């Protein structure tokens, strides 16, 4: 299929595009004219032995692919569509040990164990600690008067939440934060990183933590994950280490960007900010996630020949599912370009299209967003923009690296 308005050579994973904007107009064109569109890439780029991938842009098709793990695998080529030429096939293969890059039945076994950490009870036991953290974050920012919302406000709670969740002792948190920060946003040349070293250090730390808990159980989530329970086994220390690595990537940058985009959207739509402050609607967090769609895309690889919305897909073809497009699909969302914190229903796919890999942290993320915006509304209701935001240069995340604001004085 051809899509007339898409410029020759346009690549929906090009970090240079996302450094400027999410290509919403191009997605709309694809949804209209070529819902399953071939995105050509140079053979062998980013370690893939192919010449491109399919861009799936409609809500219904993103769901269909996500739900069908019999046909669509994350294990074959992992879930992230790499654009950077710096990654090799070997590095991609190593990442297949991480849960998001495994297929059922291997995935189901892992998922069953790690879900022990994300039960409603486990989350509600975090709530008070996180609410207090949110308050502290806002008060510290207020003292500065002005600053960078990303560094001062948005990035802190997601890091704390993961540390809290897995029971990292307070004295080790700074190390965990630094490693996590270094591991993400690696495509941006402005961010000096040693991604490999940071991942190895975090992995080593987590493995040691799990060994320690095996020897000396505590009433915490690490112990729950590493101990065998009634239906079988716990995570071994490699599996626990890679799970912590996955959380550091999956839970940080995503939630941080949801909070930052949410704040920008509130300030750009003052009537929504006023409404939020007055009514705090429970629907706000999901609209923030739809609006921001922090994860632009993930990919699957077809295990067998198949068909999607009339397009033949061959075994071995990569299929990109573009949540950023699905969440603006006008056949599902009324006026999708409108930020509406009372939108209900809101069947967005920001946490995935359902199915085996649906975001394990969705409820935690919703809770973090709610807690953060409640604290902001309470204590810094007069926050304003103090400059233009700066975007991350990365091909699969809708990322903001800096957002200058004036916090507006103490209340
Ligand atoms: C607004 C914030 C977040 C967004 C937008 C988001 C988005 C996503 C998406 C799109 C997926 C893939 C779904 C699929 O392939 O079907 C995913 C998976 C995952 N997310 Fe999140 N996420 C967020 C927050 C979190 C948090 C806070 C955590 C944990 C602390 C988390 C942990 C995970 C894990 C472990 C997976 C892999 C699940 C699996 O493979 O079974 N996420 N997330």
């Amino acid at each position: 299929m051809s899509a007339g308005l898409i410029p020759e050579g346009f690549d929906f994973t090009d970090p240079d595009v996302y450094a400027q904007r999410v290509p919403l107009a191009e997605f709309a064109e694809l949804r209209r004219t070529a819902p399953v569109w071939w995105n050509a890439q140079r053979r062998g780029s980013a370690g893939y032995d192919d010449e491109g991938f399919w861009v799936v842009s409609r809500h219904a098709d993103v769901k269909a692919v996500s739900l069908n793990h019999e046909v669509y695998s994350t294990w074959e080529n992992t879930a992230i569509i790499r654009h950077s030429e710096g990654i090799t096939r070997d590095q991609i293969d190593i990442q297949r040990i991480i849960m998001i890059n495994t297929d059922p039945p291997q995935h189901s076994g892992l998922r069953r164990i790690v879900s022990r950490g994300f039960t409603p009870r486990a989350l509600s036991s975090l709530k008070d600690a996180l609410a207090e953290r949110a308050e502290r974050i806002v008060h510290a920012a207020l003292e500065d008067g002005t600053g960078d919302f990303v560094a001062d406000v948005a990035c802190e709670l997601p890091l704390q939440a993961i540390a809290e969740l897995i029971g990292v002792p307070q004295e080790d948190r700074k190390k965990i934060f630094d490693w996590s920060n270094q591991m993400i946003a690696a495509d941006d040349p402005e961010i000096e990183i040693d991604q490999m070293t940071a991942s190895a250090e975090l992995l080593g730390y987590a493995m040691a933590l799990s060994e320690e808990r095996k020897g000396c159980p505590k009433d915490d989530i690490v112990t729950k994950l590493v101990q065998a329970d009634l239906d079988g086994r716990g995570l071994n220390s490699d599996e626990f280490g890679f799970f912590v690595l996955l959380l550091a990537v999956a839970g940080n940058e995503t939630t941080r960007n949801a909070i930052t985009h949410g704040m920008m959207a509130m300030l750009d739509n003052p009537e929504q900010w006023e409404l939020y402050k007055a009514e705090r609607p429970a629907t706000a967090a999901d609209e923030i996630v739809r609006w921001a769609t922090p994860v632009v895309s993930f990919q699957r690889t077809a295990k067998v020949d198949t068909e999607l919305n009339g397009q033949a897909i061959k075994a071995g073809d990569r299929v990109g599912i573009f949540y950023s497009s699905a969440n603006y699909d006008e056949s599902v969302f009324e006026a999708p370009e409108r930020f509406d914190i009372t939108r209900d229903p809101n069947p967005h796919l920001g946490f995935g299209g359902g199915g085996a890999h649906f975001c394990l942290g969705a409820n935690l993320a919703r809770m973090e967003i709610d807690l953060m915006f409640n604290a902001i509304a309470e204590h810094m209701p007069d926050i304003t923009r103090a400059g233009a935001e700066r975007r991350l240069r990365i091909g699969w995340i809708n990322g903001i690296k800096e957002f200058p604001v004036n916090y507006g004085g103490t209340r």
Side-chain angles (χ1 to χ4, degrees), residues 99-100 107 111 250-251 254-255 298 300 323 350-352 356-357 359 361:
M99 182 175 71
I100 197 166
H107 173 266
R111 174 96 183 196
T254 47
T255 319
F298 271 145
R300 303 290 190 256
Y323 308 118
F351 292 121
H357 294 284
C359 179

Side-chain angles (χ1 to χ4, degrees), residues 66 74 79 99-102 107 111 114 118 158 161-162 165 243 246-247 250-252 254-256 258 289 293-295 298 300 321 323 349-362 364-366 368-369:
S66 304
T74 58
M99 182 175 71
I100 197 166
N101 302 324
T102 61
H107 173 266
R111 174 96 183 196
V114 299
F118 289 81
I162 293 168
L165 188 77
F243 180 58
L246 172 59
L247 290 186
N252 270 316
T254 47
T255 319
R256 166 193 308 187
V289 175
T293 315
V295 180
F298 271 145
R300 303 290 190 256
I321 38 182
Y323 308 118
L349 307 184
F351 292 121
H357 294 284
F358 184 78
C359 179
L360 181 64
L364 176 59
R366 288 187 180 103
E368 291 176 42
I369 295 168

Side-chain angles (χ1 to χ4, degrees), residues 216-347:
C216 182
K218 282 194 180 175
D219 183 22
D220 66 6
I221 178 67
V222 186
T223 309
K224 280 202 194 74
L225 295 187
V226 300
Q227 268 185 341
D229 76 351
L230 289 177
D231 51 283
R233 64 181 197 94
L235 299 180
N236 63 37
S237 51
D238 281 11
E239 288 168 333
F240 181 78
F242 281 101
F243 180 58
V244 172
L245 221 57
L246 172 59
L247 290 186
V249 178
N252 270 316
E253 185 98 28
T254 47
T255 319
R256 166 193 308 187
N257 281 306
I259 295 169
T260 305
H261 282 289
M263 194 72 250
M264 294 188 329
M266 296 282 191
L267 298 182
D268 292 344
N269 298 273
E271 81 296 343
Q272 294 291 308
W273 186 218
E274 290 311 314
L275 179 67
Y276 184 81
K277 286 187 280 188
E279 293 180 15
R280 318 281 172 98
T283 43
D286 274 295
E287 177 65 350
I288 287 171
V289 175
R290 182 195 74 85
W291 177 261
T293 315
V295 180
V296 171
S297 64
F298 271 145
Q299 71 178 0
R300 303 290 190 256
T301 301
K303 290 193 276 190
V304 292
D305 290 351
T306 188
E307 201 190 286
L308 183 64
N309 201 346
Q311 174 63 54
I313 310 274
K314 289 199 298 296
D317 282 1
R318 285 185 297 128
V319 175
I321 38 182
F322 280 73
Y323 308 118
S324 292
S325 178
N327 283 347
Y328 286 75
D329 188 330
E330 39 295 280
S331 71
V332 175
F333 301 99
E334 200 193 317
E337 71 297 337
R338 201 171 63 217
F339 178 62
D340 174 4
I341 59 172
T342 61
R343 192 181 287 278
D344 187 20
N346 190 345

Side-chain angles (χ1 to χ4, degrees), residues 109-272:
L110 280 174
R111 174 96 183 196
R112 200 171 315 118
I113 301 174
V114 299
S115 299
R116 294 174 197 164
F118 289 81
T119 58
R121 173 130 48 103
L123 294 192
S124 76
S125 74
L126 292 181
K127 192 167 181 184
D128 289 348
L130 293 182
E132 194 199 309
R133 293 267 171 203
E135 296 268 317
R136 267 200 254 164
I137 293 166
V138 165
H139 284 299
L142 270 170
E143 271 172 29
D144 297 342
T146 57
D148 171 16
F149 184 85
V150 178
D152 300 341
V153 180
C155 79
E156 190 72 15
L157 198 64
L159 284 163
Q160 291 288 356
I162 293 168
E164 202 76 53
L165 188 77
I166 58 178
V168 175
Q170 203 63 41
E171 64 273 18
D172 291 340
R173 291 201 178 176
K174 172 88 178 72
K175 284 192 288 199
I176 301 281
F177 290 6
D178 290 346
W179 291 328
S180 306
N181 274 331
Q182 284 168 36
M183 279 169 48
I184 48 191
D187 277 8
D188 197 309
E190 265 188 29
I191 296 176
E192 270 193 29
I193 47 120
D194 184 350
Q195 201 187 12
M196 281 317 215
T197 313
S199 320
E201 284 178 325
L202 181 57
L203 190 62
Y205 175 87
M207 286 160 83
L209 188 66
S210 83
E211 285 302 317
E212 197 183 298
R213 288 298 192 280
K214 271 184 201 160
C216 182
K218 282 194 180 175
D219 183 22
D220 66 6
I221 178 67
V222 186
T223 309
K224 280 202 194 74
L225 295 187
V226 300
Q227 268 185 341
D229 76 351
L230 289 177
D231 51 283
R233 64 181 197 94
L235 299 180
N236 63 37
S237 51
D238 281 11
E239 288 168 333
F240 181 78
F242 281 101
F243 180 58
V244 172
L245 221 57
L246 172 59
L247 290 186
V249 178
N252 270 316
E253 185 98 28
T254 47
T255 319
R256 166 193 308 187
N257 281 306
I259 295 169
T260 305
H261 282 289
M263 194 72 250
M264 294 188 329
M266 296 282 191
L267 298 182
D268 292 344
N269 298 273
E271 81 296 343
Q272 294 291 308

